[in-house]
Amino acid sequence: MQGVIVVNHPLIQHKLTLMRDKNRSTKNFRELLNEIGMLICYEITRDLPIEMIDIETPIAPMKAPTIAGKKLVFAPILRAGTGFLEGMLNLVPSARVAHIGLYRDPETLKSVEYYFKAPDDIDQRLVIVMDPMLATGNSAAAAVTRLKERGAKNIRLMTLLSAPEGIQTFQRAHPDVQIWTAAIDSHLNDHGYIIPGLGDAGDRMFGTK
Ligand code: URA
């Protein structure tokens, strides 16, 4: 599928299967989401630009590669997007974090914003928007629209599971934003849940159901 990178590394696929199991504990579900967050982050940052800098090892001076440009911004969509955050920050500790609070109206399935906080110079940074479940695509599309309004130009979307409907809606709204996901499932049900999916990611992370 164009514009979508399915990260089908065996470790990610194995961990995702563990997460789908309805008997998985809340603690273990959270741990796995963080681990997968780290692994997808590794892939999504694969093509970051590099520059050579002068350093001295204990033995000799050398030119060594370092990541060029401003620090990344990780932008989790609350609340489930935070499930990726710790693993990603373990990998890229200097990244900035933007929080985007959106909830899905249960009647209309549309996104409603209740919180937004991002670094001022977001226009100069690569922004990775995180939401484990790309279901209707409305929340992810609304989050990216908001980030673009604030000046963000270089945006990528990171999800765990995607529905074809969500990918289509998101890509219609933001054809310039590439998606990284661990799997594309069959479809959405009438309540906007991904089938077969893994249930409500937020509830499973926080034990709220
Ligand atoms: N959000 C979830 O957490 N799960 C779904 O299946 C769809 C949206």
PDB file of all heavy atoms in Angstrom, residues 169-188:
ATOM      1  N   THR A 169      -8.835   7.335   5.107  1.00  0.00           N
ATOM      2  CA  THR A 169      -9.254   8.652   5.615  1.00  0.00           C
ATOM      3  C   THR A 169      -8.041   9.526   5.896  1.00  0.00           C
ATOM      4  O   THR A 169      -8.003  10.707   5.530  1.00  0.00           O
ATOM      5  CB  THR A 169     -10.077   8.477   6.919  1.00  0.00           C
ATOM      6  OG1 THR A 169     -11.222   7.719   6.598  1.00  0.00           O
ATOM      7  CG2 THR A 169     -10.481   9.806   7.519  1.00  0.00           C
ATOM      8  N   PHE A 170      -7.037   8.935   6.546  1.00  0.00           N
ATOM      9  CA  PHE A 170      -5.852   9.715   6.900  1.00  0.00           C
ATOM     10  C   PHE A 170      -5.126  10.201   5.645  1.00  0.00           C
ATOM     11  O   PHE A 170      -4.735  11.372   5.549  1.00  0.00           O
ATOM     12  CB  PHE A 170      -4.914   8.887   7.784  1.00  0.00           C
ATOM     13  CG  PHE A 170      -3.706   9.667   8.205  1.00  0.00           C
ATOM     14  CD1 PHE A 170      -3.775  10.540   9.277  1.00  0.00           C
ATOM     15  CD2 PHE A 170      -2.510   9.571   7.508  1.00  0.00           C
ATOM     16  CE1 PHE A 170      -2.678  11.309   9.645  1.00  0.00           C
ATOM     17  CE2 PHE A 170      -1.408  10.331   7.874  1.00  0.00           C
ATOM     18  CZ  PHE A 170      -1.500  11.200   8.944  1.00  0.00           C
ATOM     19  N   GLN A 171      -4.962   9.299   4.684  1.00  0.00           N
ATOM     20  CA  GLN A 171      -4.196   9.683   3.488  1.00  0.00           C
ATOM     21  C   GLN A 171      -4.930  10.714   2.633  1.00  0.00           C
ATOM     22  O   GLN A 171      -4.303  11.533   1.977  1.00  0.00           O
ATOM     23  CB  GLN A 171      -3.867   8.447   2.666  1.00  0.00           C
ATOM     24  CG  GLN A 171      -2.793   7.584   3.335  1.00  0.00           C
ATOM     25  CD  GLN A 171      -2.319   6.450   2.474  1.00  0.00           C
ATOM     26  OE1 GLN A 171      -3.111   5.882   1.702  1.00  0.00           O
ATOM     27  NE2 GLN A 171      -1.065   6.085   2.594  1.00  0.00           N
ATOM     28  N   ARG A 172      -6.293  10.652   2.667  1.00  0.00           N
ATOM     29  CA  ARG A 172      -7.048  11.691   1.935  1.00  0.00           C
ATOM     30  C   ARG A 172      -6.762  13.064   2.532  1.00  0.00           C
ATOM     31  O   ARG A 172      -6.607  14.049   1.828  1.00  0.00           O
ATOM     32  CB  ARG A 172      -8.552  11.414   2.038  1.00  0.00           C
ATOM     33  CG  ARG A 172      -9.005  10.471   0.970  1.00  0.00           C
ATOM     34  CD  ARG A 172     -10.485  10.659   0.639  1.00  0.00           C
ATOM     35  NE  ARG A 172     -10.882   9.541  -0.175  1.00  0.00           N
ATOM     36  CZ  ARG A 172     -11.767   8.631   0.171  1.00  0.00           C
ATOM     37  NH1 ARG A 172     -12.397   8.732   1.304  1.00  0.00           N
ATOM     38  NH2 ARG A 172     -12.034   7.623  -0.638  1.00  0.00           N
ATOM     39  N   ALA A 173      -6.713  13.109   3.883  1.00  0.00           N
ATOM     40  CA  ALA A 173      -6.488  14.387   4.567  1.00  0.00           C
ATOM     41  C   ALA A 173      -5.026  14.827   4.460  1.00  0.00           C
ATOM     42  O   ALA A 173      -4.746  16.024   4.332  1.00  0.00           O
ATOM     43  CB  ALA A 173      -6.903  14.269   6.029  1.00  0.00           C
ATOM     44  N   HIS A 174      -4.111  13.869   4.519  1.00  0.00           N
ATOM     45  CA  HIS A 174      -2.672  14.211   4.592  1.00  0.00           C
ATOM     46  C   HIS A 174      -1.843  13.282   3.695  1.00  0.00           C
ATOM     47  O   HIS A 174      -1.096  12.433   4.193  1.00  0.00           O
ATOM     48  CB  HIS A 174      -2.189  14.103   6.042  1.00  0.00           C
ATOM     49  CG  HIS A 174      -2.910  15.013   6.961  1.00  0.00           C
ATOM     50  ND1 HIS A 174      -2.773  16.380   6.920  1.00  0.00           N
ATOM     51  CD2 HIS A 174      -3.818  14.752   7.945  1.00  0.00           C
ATOM     52  CE1 HIS A 174      -3.552  16.931   7.839  1.00  0.00           C
ATOM     53  NE2 HIS A 174      -4.197  15.974   8.467  1.00  0.00           N
ATOM     54  N   PRO A 175      -1.966  13.444   2.372  1.00  0.00           N
ATOM     55  CA  PRO A 175      -1.221  12.556   1.468  1.00  0.00           C
ATOM     56  C   PRO A 175       0.296  12.691   1.599  1.00  0.00           C
ATOM     57  O   PRO A 175       1.032  11.807   1.160  1.00  0.00           O
ATOM     58  CB  PRO A 175      -1.692  12.999   0.066  1.00  0.00           C
ATOM     59  CG  PRO A 175      -2.353  14.323   0.251  1.00  0.00           C
ATOM     60  CD  PRO A 175      -2.804  14.412   1.666  1.00  0.00           C
ATOM     61  N   ASP A 176       0.748  13.769   2.225  1.00  0.00           N
ATOM     62  CA  ASP A 176       2.190  14.017   2.369  1.00  0.00           C
ATOM     63  C   ASP A 176       2.785  13.306   3.586  1.00  0.00           C
ATOM     64  O   ASP A 176       4.008  13.326   3.771  1.00  0.00           O
ATOM     65  CB  ASP A 176       2.443  15.526   2.526  1.00  0.00           C
ATOM     66  CG  ASP A 176       1.628  16.109   3.687  1.00  0.00           C
ATOM     67  OD1 ASP A 176       0.411  15.833   3.764  1.00  0.00           O
ATOM     68  OD2 ASP A 176       2.229  16.809   4.526  1.00  0.00           O
ATOM     69  N   VAL A 177       1.968  12.704   4.429  1.00  0.00           N
ATOM     70  CA  VAL A 177       2.484  12.119   5.682  1.00  0.00           C
ATOM     71  C   VAL A 177       2.535  10.599   5.565  1.00  0.00           C
ATOM     72  O   VAL A 177       1.506   9.934   5.392  1.00  0.00           O
ATOM     73  CB  VAL A 177       1.595  12.529   6.890  1.00  0.00           C
ATOM     74  CG1 VAL A 177       2.071  11.863   8.172  1.00  0.00           C
ATOM     75  CG2 VAL A 177       1.600  14.047   7.048  1.00  0.00           C
ATOM     76  N   GLN A 178       3.740  10.051   5.673  1.00  0.00           N
ATOM     77  CA  GLN A 178       3.906   8.591   5.590  1.00  0.00           C
ATOM     78  C   GLN A 178       3.505   7.918   6.902  1.00  0.00           C
ATOM     79  O   GLN A 178       3.664   8.504   7.976  1.00  0.00           O
ATOM     80  CB  GLN A 178       5.359   8.257   5.289  1.00  0.00           C
ATOM     81  CG  GLN A 178       5.637   8.190   3.786  1.00  0.00           C
ATOM     82  CD  GLN A 178       6.859   7.334   3.505  1.00  0.00           C
ATOM     83  OE1 GLN A 178       7.903   7.554   4.098  1.00  0.00           O
ATOM     84  NE2 GLN A 178       6.733   6.377   2.598  1.00  0.00           N
ATOM     85  N   ILE A 179       3.033   6.677   6.778  1.00  0.00           N
ATOM     86  CA  ILE A 179       2.559   5.925   7.950  1.00  0.00           C
ATOM     87  C   ILE A 179       3.479   4.722   8.170  1.00  0.00           C
ATOM     88  O   ILE A 179       3.754   3.969   7.225  1.00  0.00           O
ATOM     89  CB  ILE A 179       1.120   5.413   7.708  1.00  0.00           C
ATOM     90  CG1 ILE A 179       0.167   6.588   7.401  1.00  0.00           C
ATOM     91  CG2 ILE A 179       0.618   4.592   8.900  1.00  0.00           C
ATOM     92  CD1 ILE A 179      -1.208   6.137   6.895  1.00  0.00           C
ATOM     93  N   TRP A 180       3.899   4.524   9.419  1.00  0.00           N
ATOM     94  CA  TRP A 180       4.600   3.298   9.814  1.00  0.00           C
ATOM     95  C   TRP A 180       3.652   2.529  10.738  1.00  0.00           C
ATOM     96  O   TRP A 180       3.126   3.095  11.712  1.00  0.00           O
ATOM     97  CB  TRP A 180       5.888   3.605  10.578  1.00  0.00           C
ATOM     98  CG  TRP A 180       7.077   3.877   9.707  1.00  0.00           C
ATOM     99  CD1 TRP A 180       8.126   3.033   9.464  1.00  0.00           C
ATOM    100  CD2 TRP A 180       7.374   5.075   8.970  1.00  0.00           C
ATOM    101  NE1 TRP A 180       9.040   3.631   8.630  1.00  0.00           N
ATOM    102  CE2 TRP A 180       8.602   4.882   8.299  1.00  0.00           C
ATOM    103  CE3 TRP A 180       6.712   6.293   8.787  1.00  0.00           C
ATOM    104  CZ2 TRP A 180       9.184   5.845   7.492  1.00  0.00           C
ATOM    105  CZ3 TRP A 180       7.290   7.261   7.965  1.00  0.00           C
ATOM    106  CH2 TRP A 180       8.504   7.032   7.330  1.00  0.00           C
ATOM    107  N   THR A 181       3.428   1.254  10.453  1.00  0.00           N
ATOM    108  CA  THR A 181       2.505   0.458  11.260  1.00  0.00           C
ATOM    109  C   THR A 181       3.035  -0.966  11.350  1.00  0.00           C
ATOM    110  O   THR A 181       3.775  -1.418  10.465  1.00  0.00           O
ATOM    111  CB  THR A 181       1.083   0.490  10.646  1.00  0.00           C
ATOM    112  OG1 THR A 181       0.159  -0.109  11.550  1.00  0.00           O
ATOM    113  CG2 THR A 181       0.992  -0.238   9.310  1.00  0.00           C
ATOM    114  N   ALA A 182       2.628  -1.691  12.401  1.00  0.00           N
ATOM    115  CA  ALA A 182       3.085  -3.077  12.534  1.00  0.00           C
ATOM    116  C   ALA A 182       2.171  -4.048  11.782  1.00  0.00           C
ATOM    117  O   ALA A 182       2.600  -5.151  11.451  1.00  0.00           O
ATOM    118  CB  ALA A 182       3.169  -3.464  14.016  1.00  0.00           C
ATOM    119  N   ALA A 183       0.916  -3.654  11.542  1.00  0.00           N
ATOM    120  CA  ALA A 183      -0.002  -4.552  10.820  1.00  0.00           C
ATOM    121  C   ALA A 183      -1.207  -3.778  10.309  1.00  0.00           C
ATOM    122  O   ALA A 183      -1.614  -2.772  10.902  1.00  0.00           O
ATOM    123  CB  ALA A 183      -0.477  -5.676  11.743  1.00  0.00           C
ATOM    124  N   ILE A 184      -1.757  -4.275   9.198  1.00  0.00           N
ATOM    125  CA  ILE A 184      -3.022  -3.734   8.684  1.00  0.00           C
ATOM    126  C   ILE A 184      -4.058  -4.841   8.846  1.00  0.00           C
ATOM    127  O   ILE A 184      -3.927  -5.914   8.247  1.00  0.00           O
ATOM    128  CB  ILE A 184      -2.897  -3.318   7.200  1.00  0.00           C
ATOM    129  CG1 ILE A 184      -1.772  -2.276   7.042  1.00  0.00           C
ATOM    130  CG2 ILE A 184      -4.228  -2.764   6.696  1.00  0.00           C
ATOM    131  CD1 ILE A 184      -1.458  -1.903   5.600  1.00  0.00           C
ATOM    132  N   ASP A 185      -5.057  -4.586   9.684  1.00  0.00           N
ATOM    133  CA  ASP A 185      -6.075  -5.601   9.958  1.00  0.00           C
ATOM    134  C   ASP A 185      -7.190  -5.555   8.920  1.00  0.00           C
ATOM    135  O   ASP A 185      -7.123  -4.802   7.947  1.00  0.00           O
ATOM    136  CB  ASP A 185      -6.612  -5.420  11.380  1.00  0.00           C
ATOM    137  CG  ASP A 185      -5.751  -6.175  12.403  1.00  0.00           C
ATOM    138  OD1 ASP A 185      -4.677  -6.679  12.029  1.00  0.00           O
ATOM    139  OD2 ASP A 185      -6.162  -6.265  13.579  1.00  0.00           O
ATOM    140  N   SER A 186      -8.250  -6.360   9.173  1.00  0.00           N
ATOM    141  CA  SER A 186      -9.278  -6.568   8.152  1.00  0.00           C
ATOM    142  C   SER A 186     -10.183  -5.359   7.927  1.00  0.00           C
ATOM    143  O   SER A 186     -10.329  -4.863   6.814  1.00  0.00           O
ATOM    144  CB  SER A 186     -10.098  -7.794   8.552  1.00  0.00           C
ATOM    145  OG  SER A 186     -11.283  -7.845   7.845  1.00  0.00           O
ATOM    146  N   HIS A 187     -10.830  -4.862   8.994  1.00  0.00           N
ATOM    147  CA  HIS A 187     -11.829  -3.792   8.825  1.00  0.00           C
ATOM    148  C   HIS A 187     -12.228  -3.231  10.186  1.00  0.00           C
ATOM    149  O   HIS A 187     -11.789  -3.731  11.222  1.00  0.00           O
ATOM    150  CB  HIS A 187     -13.075  -4.341   8.110  1.00  0.00           C
ATOM    151  CG  HIS A 187     -13.815  -5.391   8.881  1.00  0.00           C
ATOM    152  ND1 HIS A 187     -13.382  -6.700   8.978  1.00  0.00           N
ATOM    153  CD2 HIS A 187     -14.941  -5.315   9.635  1.00  0.00           C
ATOM    154  CE1 HIS A 187     -14.214  -7.382   9.735  1.00  0.00           C
ATOM    155  NE2 HIS A 187     -15.165  -6.570  10.159  1.00  0.00           N
ATOM    156  N   LEU A 188     -13.108  -2.234  10.168  1.00  0.00           N
ATOM    157  CA  LEU A 188     -13.686  -1.675  11.405  1.00  0.00           C
ATOM    158  C   LEU A 188     -15.071  -2.260  11.613  1.00  0.00           C
ATOM    159  O   LEU A 188     -15.797  -2.484  10.647  1.00  0.00           O
ATOM    160  CB  LEU A 188     -13.857  -0.162  11.273  1.00  0.00           C
ATOM    161  CG  LEU A 188     -12.629   0.732  11.208  1.00  0.00           C
ATOM    162  CD1 LEU A 188     -13.074   2.185  11.168  1.00  0.00           C
ATOM    163  CD2 LEU A 188     -11.728   0.481  12.401  1.00  0.00           C
TER     164      LEU A 188
END
